[in-house]
Amino acid sequence: MEVVIVPDADAAGELIAGAMAGLLARRPDALLGVATGSTPLPVYRALAARVRAGGVDVSRARVCQLDEYVGLPAGHPESYRSTVLREVVAPLGLTEESFLGPDGEADDLPAACADYDRALAEAGGVDLQLLGIGSDGHIGFNEPCSSLASRTRIKTLTRRTREDNSRFFGSVDEVPQHVITQGIGTILDARHVVLLATGAGKAEAVALAVEGPLAASVPASALQLHPHATVVVDEAAAAGLARADYFRDTYAAKPKWQGL
Ligand code: F6R
């Protein structure tokens, strides 16, 4: 696992957008797995700016969703489908045809979950999966004690996650209890996994995920199993890392051609 400590969220956005741009230059039809929430927004802004400046060709790029609330009405502005269309697909100038996501309104939700795993595999797999991290260590909506081998399925959000996400809704009671999320096993199938965390509220979860034991109680620790996992953190989110100096030295000495 590589840990990159950057000064702030904008620097993180530039760094990860640069990695995505490099990937698209090598593989123009790359499948980018995108997270929602507040943390990845600087990445999407930075990538869209590169596209507008003519530095990245996204005409064949594809985007897929990490997770979705269950039961929100079609077109609800806080559904993750709406969010990805608004924050990623539209600013990049992509079409809905280039976008894959699970059906959170399906009558048969288990079948919709299995269909989504199949669709990701048939699309050739995710090339780069961007992740945030919950204050409780979740990735996607794999809450603590999720199976580290899990596939896309229905999960129940913890009270803490619903409270964290209530800022997007009128109140905590309006945050759906149930979600569809790529499983941890599904996430680990991506060829490159990039976890971004910013702000002091993520410091404890980041330290446990990076330096703690591999444990289902900290779902993000599953990234320790991935052969190409990059954790990008700002100074505040890095505050709990005992090896921060080592991570800084390592990145400073890294040959530029290696990229992320
Ligand atoms: C969202 C997702 C979640 C968030 C996490 C952090 O698609 O999968 O794991 O990444 O809850 O959310 P923010 O970035 O809003 O703190």
Side-chain angles (χ1 to χ4, degrees), residues 33 46 56-57 68 127 139 143 152 159 173 182 188 196 236 242-243 252 256:
V56 193
D57 178 6
E68 182 57 284
D127 290 294
I139 48 173
E143 295 284 30
T152 299
R159 179 84 192 172
D173 294 327
Q182 283 191 31
L188 295 181
L196 171 60
R243 293 167 188 78
K256 287 287 168 263

Side-chain angles (χ1 to χ4, degrees), residues 35-39 66-67 80 132-134 138 140 167 202:
T36 50
S38 308
T39 312
L66 181 58
D67 42 15
Y80 282 176
I133 184 171
H138 69 232
R167 67 190 191 281
K202 301 294 173 67

Side-chain angles (χ1 to χ4, degrees), residues 4-40:
V4 183
I5 303 173
V6 294
D8 54 33
D10 285 340
E14 282 300 333
L15 182 70
I16 298 171
M20 289 176 165
L23 169 63
L24 288 164
R26 294 190 303 278
R27 189 189 283 243
D29 65 345
L31 180 56
L32 302 174
V34 294
T36 50
S38 308
T39 312

Side-chain angles (χ1 to χ4, degrees), residues 30-32 34 61-65 84 88-89 92 94 98-100:
L31 180 56
L32 302 174
V34 294
R62 299 169 298 152
V63 167
C64 67
Q65 210 175 319
V84 172
V88 185
V89 172
L92 294 183
L94 302 176
S98 58
F99 169 71
L100 275 177

Side-chain angles (χ1 to χ4, degrees), residues 135-136 138 141 143-144 155-167 171-178:
S135 59
D136 62 2
H138 69 232
F141 272 141
E143 295 284 30
K155 288 292 290 181
T156 305
L157 295 180
T158 61
R159 179 84 192 172
R160 180 171 174 182
T161 297
R162 292 178 70 221
E163 281 168 357
D164 284 349
N165 287 6
S166 62
R167 67 190 191 281
S171 69
V172 66
D173 294 327
E174 290 169 55
V175 182
Q177 270 191 300
H178 296 112

Side-chain angles (χ1 to χ4, degrees), residues 70-71 102-113 115 180:
V70 168
D103 183 358
E105 297 171 80
D107 290 332
D108 186 343
L109 289 169
C113 294
D115 286 349
I180 291 177

Side-chain angles (χ1 to χ4, degrees), residues 168-212:
F168 298 113
F169 294 82
S171 69
V172 66
D173 294 327
E174 290 169 55
V175 182
Q177 270 191 300
H178 296 112
V179 291
I180 291 177
T181 181
Q182 283 191 31
I184 296 176
T186 315
I187 290 170
L188 295 181
D189 284 346
R191 285 181 267 280
H192 183 193
V193 179
V194 179
L195 185 146
L196 171 60
T198 51
K202 301 294 173 67
E204 186 186 357
V206 166
L208 287 170
V210 172
E211 296 181 328

